């Protein structure tokens, strides 16, 4: 199926249940992103800052860019002028830098706190206790140019649906607790980003409001990296 058909099918599946599709466009050429764009897709997710900036410069300016990969503090300044949502905030230090760059750009930058839920050493993120510690901290209270919109998590890369379901369930339960404790009066704390191509249906069952899909949108085909075209 074409990229346009994939978008059309996903939109009909997700829009009725009010789940947002972020098309993961990392390594994909601009032409592929434009095919998705022409089919009505507006939210795209990138892992690398340099690639995100280059694509931002080449593509329509009404695209919502989500940074979904690990973000180093020294690279925040490159995306601060335009990024829609940083989904991968995993430290107070990073949040302070995002706030600093947001001030310089006279804007408020929306962020998700990335929570570590996987049974793997390779994943980034905050532990449940670290999220609470961050939200209680004086440093966080001082940040006026970042807005925490919710949480993001990546499940273990496993064939065990039971394990994936439990990890997503734990994150959804934690989200509800954090909402009650720290964001009860803030309607903007409403996003739970979890689920990728292999497990997004389980994520939706467990309460996801955003899913991040790459191969489901762009297909599995191996293509040249967008820089090498």
């Amino acid at each position: 199926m074409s990229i346009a058909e994939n978008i059309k099918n996903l939109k009909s599946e997700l829009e009725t249940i009010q789940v947002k599709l972020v098309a993961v466009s990392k390594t994909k050429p601009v032409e592929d992103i434009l095919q998705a764009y022409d089919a009505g897709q507006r939210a795209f997710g990138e892992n690398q800052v340099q690639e995100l900036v280059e694509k931002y410069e080449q593509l329509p300016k009404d695209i919502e860019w989500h940074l979904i990969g690990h973000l180093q503090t020294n690279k925040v300044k490159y995306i601060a002028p335009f990024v829609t949502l940083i989904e991968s905030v995993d430290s107070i230090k990073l949040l302070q830098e995002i706030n600093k760059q947001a001030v310089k750009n006279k804007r408020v930058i929306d962020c998700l706190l990335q929570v570590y839920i996987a049974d793997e050493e390779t994943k980034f993120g905050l532990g449940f206790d670290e999220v609470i510690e961050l939200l209680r901290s004086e440093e966080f209270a001082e940040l006026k140019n970042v807005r925490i919109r919710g949480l993001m998590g990546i499940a273990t890369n496993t064939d065990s649906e039971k394990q994936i379901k439990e990890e997503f369930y734990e994150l959804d339960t934690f989200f509800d607790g954090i909402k009650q404790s720290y964001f009860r009066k803030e309607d903007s704390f409403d996003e739970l980003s979890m689920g990728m191509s292999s497990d997004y249906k389980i994520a939706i069952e467990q309460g996801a409001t955003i899913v991040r899909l790459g191969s489901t949108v762009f297909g599995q085909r191996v293509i040249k990296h967008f820089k090498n075209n």
Side-chain angles (χ1 to χ4, degrees):
M1 283 208 296
S2 70
I3 292 169
E5 286 169 323
N6 290 339
I7 292 289
K8 186 165 161 274
N9 292 339
L10 284 164
K11 278 191 174 295
S12 64
E13 177 186 355
L14 298 176
E15 282 179 355
T16 50
I17 51 174
Q18 293 179 305
V19 173
K20 184 180 188 74
L21 168 64
V22 174
V24 179
S25 49
K26 61 179 182 180
T27 76
K28 299 290 181 276
V30 165
E31 303 86 78
D32 282 17
I33 298 171
L34 279 171
Q35 281 182 43
Y37 178 90
D38 290 341
Q41 180 62 18
R42 288 296 177 271
F44 293 88
E46 289 285 338
N47 276 42
Q48 304 285 343
V49 167
Q50 189 181 346
E51 189 174 335
L52 173 52
V53 171
E54 289 176 15
K55 286 177 176 174
Y56 167 76
E57 288 167 355
Q58 294 177 51
L59 284 155
K61 293 301 172 274
D62 62 335
I63 285 179
E64 280 182 39
W65 290 106
H66 292 223
L67 188 89
I68 57 175
H70 182 62
L71 178 59
Q72 294 167 295
T73 50
N74 64 344
K75 296 199 173 159
V76 173
K77 58 181 175 280
Y78 301 115
I79 60 171
F82 67 87
V83 70
T84 300
L85 183 64
I86 298 174
E87 296 203 19
S88 47
V89 174
D90 59 2
S91 71
I92 186 68
K93 189 169 133 251
L94 178 57
L95 212 45
Q96 286 168 324
E97 180 63 22
I98 295 168
N99 187 79
K100 179 178 145 187
Q101 297 301 333
V103 171
K104 284 185 183 174
N105 285 280
K106 298 185 174 61
R107 62 183 299 232
V108 173
I109 295 178
D110 284 347
C111 300
L112 302 182
L113 298 177
Q114 182 171 352
V115 185
Y116 183 89
I117 56 171
D119 186 19
E120 293 172 20
E121 289 299 311
T122 53
K123 301 281 191 278
F124 291 100
L126 296 153
F128 289 168
D129 54 335
E130 292 172 313
V131 172
I132 293 164
E133 191 182 328
L134 184 153
L135 293 174
R136 281 183 178 163
S137 69
E138 288 177 19
E139 294 97 324
F140 175 69
E142 291 168 2
L143 306 180
K144 304 301 181 210
N145 286 63
V146 290
R147 182 169 66 157
I148 305 297
R149 294 292 314 272
L151 307 176
M152 183 268 256
I154 301 171
T156 304
N157 185 7
T158 173
D159 292 332
S160 168
E161 286 195 9
K162 182 173 178 285
Q163 182 177 349
I164 293 166
K165 190 172 182 177
E166 283 169 1
E167 289 170 358
F168 286 152
Y169 173 78
E170 278 181 15
L171 186 57
D172 182 52
T173 306
F174 184 63
F175 173 90
D176 291 340
I178 292 294
K179 171 87 175 160
Q180 281 303 312
S181 300
Y182 301 100
F183 297 97
R184 195 179 308 163
K185 294 178 179 160
E186 292 171 45
D187 292 339
S188 56
F189 187 89
D190 61 355
E191 298 291 10
L192 184 55
S193 175
M194 54 186 197
M196 302 190 287
S197 289
S198 59
D199 58 20
Y200 78 94
K201 289 181 190 293
I202 303 171
I204 290 168
E205 284 169 14
Q206 298 306 317
T209 65
I210 296 174
V211 293
R212 310 176 302 275
L213 307 183
S215 56
T216 313
V217 171
F218 294 104
Q220 292 282 13
R221 69 191 192 282
V222 179
I223 51 169
K224 289 183 293 185
H225 188 279
F226 90 105
K227 290 274 285 186
N228 301 330
N229 287 351

